[in-house]
Coordinates of all heavy atoms in Angstrom, one line a residue:
P190 N 115.4 40.6 204.0 CA 115.8 40.6 202.6 C 116.8 41.7 202.3 O 116.6 42.8 202.7 CB 114.4 40.8 201.9 CG 113.5 41.2 202.9 CD 114.0 41.0 204.2
A191 N 117.7 41.4 201.3 CA 118.6 42.5 200.9 C 117.9 43.5 200.2 O 116.8 43.3 199.6 CB 119.7 41.8 199.9
K192 N 118.3 44.8 200.2 CA 117.7 45.9 199.6 C 117.8 45.7 198.0 O 118.8 45.2 197.5 CB 118.4 47.1 199.9 CG 117.8 48.5 199.4 CD 118.6 49.7 199.9 CE 117.8 50.9 199.3 NZ 118.4 52.1 199.6
A193 N 116.7 45.9 197.3 CA 116.6 45.7 195.9 C 117.4 46.8 195.2 O 117.7 47.9 195.7 CB 115.2 45.9 195.5
S194 N 118.1 46.3 194.1 CA 118.9 47.2 193.3 C 118.0 48.3 192.6 O 116.7 48.1 192.7 CB 119.6 46.5 192.2 OG 118.7 46.0 191.3
R195 N 118.5 49.3 192.1 CA 117.7 50.3 191.4 C 116.9 49.7 190.3 O 115.7 50.1 190.1 CB 118.6 51.5 190.9 CG 119.0 52.5 192.0 CD 119.7 53.5 191.5 NE 120.4 54.3 192.5 CZ 119.9 55.4 192.9 NH1 118.8 55.9 192.5 NH2 120.5 56.1 193.9
D196 N 117.5 48.8 189.6 CA 116.9 48.1 188.4 C 115.7 47.3 188.9 O 114.6 47.4 188.3 CB 117.7 47.2 187.6 CG 118.8 48.0 186.8 OD1 118.6 49.2 186.6 OD2 119.8 47.5 186.4
A197 N 115.9 46.6 190.0 CA 114.8 45.7 190.6 C 113.7 46.6 191.1 O 112.5 46.3 190.9 CB 115.3 44.8 191.6
D198 N 114.1 47.7 191.7 CA 113.1 48.7 192.2 C 112.2 49.3 191.1 O 111.1 49.5 191.3 CB 113.8 49.8 193.0 CG 112.8 50.6 193.9 OD1 112.0 50.0 194.5 OD2 112.9 51.8 193.8
A199 N 112.9 49.5 190.0 CA 112.2 50.1 188.8 C 111.2 49.0 188.2 O 110.1 49.4 188.0 CB 113.1 50.6 187.8
R200 N 111.7 47.8 188.3 CA 110.8 46.7 187.8 C 109.6 46.5 188.6 O 108.6 46.2 188.3 CB 111.5 45.4 187.7 CG 112.4 45.3 186.5 CD 112.9 43.9 186.2 NE 113.4 43.2 187.4 CZ 114.7 43.2 187.8 NH1 115.5 44.0 187.1 NH2 115.1 42.6 188.9
A201 N 109.8 46.7 190.0 CA 108.7 46.7 191.0 C 107.6 47.5 190.7 O 106.5 47.2 191.0 CB 109.2 46.9 192.4
H202 N 107.9 48.6 190.0 CA 106.8 49.6 189.7 C 106.3 49.5 188.2 O 105.6 50.4 187.9 CB 107.2 51.0 190.1 CG 107.6 51.0 191.5 ND1 106.6 51.1 192.5 CD2 108.8 51.1 192.2 CE1 107.3 51.1 193.7 NE2 108.5 51.1 193.5
R203 N 106.8 48.5 187.5 CA 106.4 48.4 186.0 C 105.3 47.4 186.0 O 105.4 46.2 186.2 CB 107.5 47.9 185.2 CG 107.3 48.0 183.8 CD 108.5 47.6 182.9 NE 108.5 46.2 182.9 CZ 109.5 45.4 183.1 NH1 110.7 45.9 183.4 NH2 109.4 44.1 183.0
W204 N 104.1 48.0 185.8 CA 102.9 47.2 185.6 C 102.4 47.0 184.1 O 102.5 48.0 183.4 CB 101.9 47.7 186.4 CG 101.9 47.6 187.9 CD1 102.8 48.2 188.7 CD2 101.3 46.6 188.7 NE1 102.8 47.7 190.0 CE2 101.8 46.8 190.0 CE3 100.3 45.7 188.5 CZ2 101.4 46.1 191.0 CZ3 99.8 44.9 189.6 CH2 100.4 45.2 190.9
P205 N 101.9 45.9 183.8 CA 101.3 45.9 182.5 C 100.2 46.9 182.2 O 99.6 47.1 183.2 CB 100.8 44.3 182.4 CG 101.0 43.7 183.6 CD 101.7 44.7 184.5
T206 N 100.0 47.2 181.0 CA 99.0 48.2 180.7 C 97.9 47.7 179.8 O 96.9 48.4 179.5 CB 99.6 49.5 180.1 OG1 100.3 49.2 178.9 CG2 100.5 50.1 181.1
R207 N 98.1 46.4 179.3 CA 97.0 45.9 178.4 C 95.8 45.6 179.1 O 95.8 45.2 180.3 CB 97.6 44.6 177.7 CG 98.8 44.8 176.8 CD 99.2 43.7 176.0 NE 99.4 42.5 176.9 CZ 99.7 41.4 176.4 NH1 99.7 41.0 175.2 NH2 100.0 40.3 177.3
E208 N 94.7 45.7 178.4 CA 93.4 45.2 179.0 C 93.0 43.9 178.4 O 93.3 43.6 177.2 CB 92.3 46.3 178.6 CG 92.4 47.6 179.4 CD 91.3 48.6 179.2 OE1 90.2 48.0 179.0 OE2 91.4 49.8 179.4
H209 N 92.4 43.1 179.2 CA 92.0 41.7 178.8 C 90.5 41.5 179.3 O 90.1 42.2 180.2 CB 92.9 40.6 179.5 CG 94.3 40.8 179.2 ND1 94.7 40.5 177.9 CD2 95.4 41.2 179.9 CE1 96.1 40.7 177.9 NE2 96.5 41.1 179.0
S210 N 89.9 40.6 178.7 CA 88.4 40.4 179.1 C 88.4 39.6 180.5 O 87.5 39.8 181.3 CB 87.8 39.6 178.1 OG 88.3 38.3 177.9
R211 N 89.5 38.8 180.8 CA 89.5 38.2 182.1 C 90.3 39.1 183.0 O 91.3 39.6 182.7 CB 90.2 36.8 182.0 CG 89.4 35.9 181.1 CD 90.0 34.5 181.0 NE 91.4 34.5 180.6 CZ 92.2 33.5 180.7 NH1 92.0 32.4 181.4 NH2 93.5 33.6 180.1
K212 N 89.9 39.2 184.2 CA 90.4 40.1 185.3 C 90.6 39.5 186.6 O 89.8 38.7 186.9 CB 89.6 41.4 185.4 CG 89.4 42.1 184.1 CD 88.6 43.4 184.2 CE 88.2 44.1 182.9 NZ 89.0 44.1 181.8
V213 N 91.5 39.9 187.3 CA 91.7 39.5 188.7 C 92.0 40.7 189.6 O 92.5 41.6 189.2 CB 92.8 38.4 188.8 CG1 94.2 39.1 188.5 CG2 93.0 37.8 190.2
L214 N 91.5 40.6 190.7 CA 91.6 41.6 191.8 C 92.8 41.4 192.7 O 92.8 40.3 193.3 CB 90.3 41.9 192.5 CG 90.3 43.1 193.5 CD1 90.5 44.5 192.7 CD2 89.0 43.1 194.3
M215 N 93.7 42.3 192.8 CA 94.9 42.1 193.7 C 94.8 43.0 194.9 O 94.7 44.3 194.6 CB 96.1 42.3 193.0 CG 97.4 42.1 193.7 SD 98.9 42.3 192.8 CE 98.9 40.9 191.8
L216 N 95.0 42.6 196.0 CA 95.2 43.3 197.3 C 96.6 43.6 197.4 O 97.4 42.7 197.3 CB 94.6 42.6 198.5 CG 93.1 42.2 198.4 CD1 92.8 41.3 199.7 CD2 92.2 43.3 198.2
M217 N 97.0 44.8 197.7 CA 98.4 45.2 197.7 C 99.0 44.7 199.1 O 100.2 44.4 199.2 CB 98.6 46.7 197.6 CG 98.2 47.2 196.2 SD 99.1 46.4 194.9 CE 100.7 47.0 195.1
G218 N 98.2 44.6 200.2 CA 98.7 44.0 201.3 C 99.3 45.1 202.3 O 99.6 46.2 201.8
C219 N 99.8 44.6 203.4 CA 100.4 45.6 204.3 C 101.9 45.3 204.6 O 102.6 46.2 204.9 CB 99.6 45.7 205.7 SG 99.4 44.1 206.4
V220 N 102.3 44.1 204.4 CA 103.6 43.6 204.7 C 104.4 43.5 203.4 O 105.6 43.9 203.3 CB 103.6 42.4 205.6 CG1 105.0 41.8 205.8 CG2 102.9 42.6 206.9
Q221 N 103.8 42.7 202.6 CA 104.6 42.3 201.3 C 105.3 43.4 200.5 O 106.4 43.3 200.1 CB 103.6 41.4 200.4 CG 104.3 40.8 199.3 CD 104.1 41.7 198.0 OE1 103.1 42.3 197.9 NE2 105.3 41.8 197.4
P222 N 104.6 44.6 200.3 CA 105.3 45.6 199.5 C 106.5 46.1 200.2 O 107.5 46.4 199.5 CB 104.3 46.7 199.4 CG 103.0 46.0 199.6 CD 103.2 44.9 200.5
A223 N 106.7 46.1 201.5 CA 107.8 46.5 202.2 C 108.9 45.4 202.1 O 110.1 45.7 202.0 CB 107.5 46.9 203.6
M224 N 108.6 44.2 202.1 CA 109.6 43.1 202.1 C 110.1 42.8 200.8 O 111.2 42.6 200.4 CB 108.9 41.9 202.8 CG 108.7 42.1 204.2 SD 108.3 40.5 205.1 CE 109.8 39.7 205.1
L225 N 109.1 42.5 199.8 CA 109.4 42.1 198.4 C 108.6 42.8 197.4 O 107.7 42.3 196.9 CB 109.3 40.5 198.4 CG 110.2 39.7 199.3 CD1 109.7 38.2 199.4 CD2 111.6 39.8 199.0
P226 N 108.9 44.0 197.2 CA 108.0 44.9 196.4 C 107.8 44.4 195.0 O 106.8 44.9 194.3 CB 108.7 46.3 196.5 CG 110.1 46.0 196.8 CD 110.2 44.7 197.6
N227 N 108.7 43.6 194.4 CA 108.5 43.2 193.0 C 107.5 42.1 192.8 O 107.1 41.8 191.7 CB 109.9 42.9 192.4 CG 109.8 42.8 190.9 OD1 109.1 43.5 190.3 ND2 110.6 41.9 190.4
I228 N 107.1 41.4 193.9 CA 106.1 40.3 193.7 C 104.8 40.6 193.0 O 104.3 39.9 192.1 CB 105.8 39.6 195.1 CG1 107.2 38.8 195.5 CG2 104.8 38.6 195.0 CD1 107.1 38.2 196.8
N229 N 104.1 41.7 193.5 CA 102.9 42.1 192.9 C 103.0 42.3 191.4 O 102.2 42.0 190.6 CB 102.2 43.2 193.7 CG 101.7 42.8 195.0 OD1 101.6 41.6 195.3 ND2 101.5 43.8 195.9
S230 N 104.0 43.2 191.0 CA 104.1 43.5 189.6 C 104.5 42.3 188.8 O 104.1 42.2 187.6 CB 105.1 44.7 189.4 OG 106.4 44.4 189.9
A231 N 105.5 41.5 189.4 CA 105.8 40.2 188.7 C 104.6 39.3 188.5 O 104.4 38.8 187.4 CB 106.9 39.5 189.4
T232 N 103.8 39.2 189.4 CA 102.6 38.5 189.3 C 101.7 39.0 188.2 O 101.1 38.3 187.4 CB 101.8 38.4 190.6 OG1 102.6 37.8 191.6 CG2 100.5 37.5 190.6
A233 N 101.5 40.3 188.2 CA 100.7 41.1 187.2 C 101.2 40.7 185.9 O 100.4 40.6 184.9 CB 100.5 42.5 187.5
R234 N 102.6 40.8 185.6 CA 103.2 40.5 184.3 C 102.9 39.1 183.9 O 102.7 38.8 182.7 CB 104.6 40.8 184.3 CG 104.9 42.3 184.4 CD 106.3 42.6 184.3 NE 107.3 42.1 185.2 CZ 107.6 42.6 186.3 NH1 107.0 43.7 186.7 NH2 108.5 42.0 187.1

């Protein structure tokens, strides 16, 4: 995968901060953060 731009890299580390009554547990994984680091934060958003 092409290297993420600085903006995309910043988005990869932007997580929502609101609390909700419904919750899900996310495993960060061993491969995915190196390949496509924005997926977990995008999923969280």
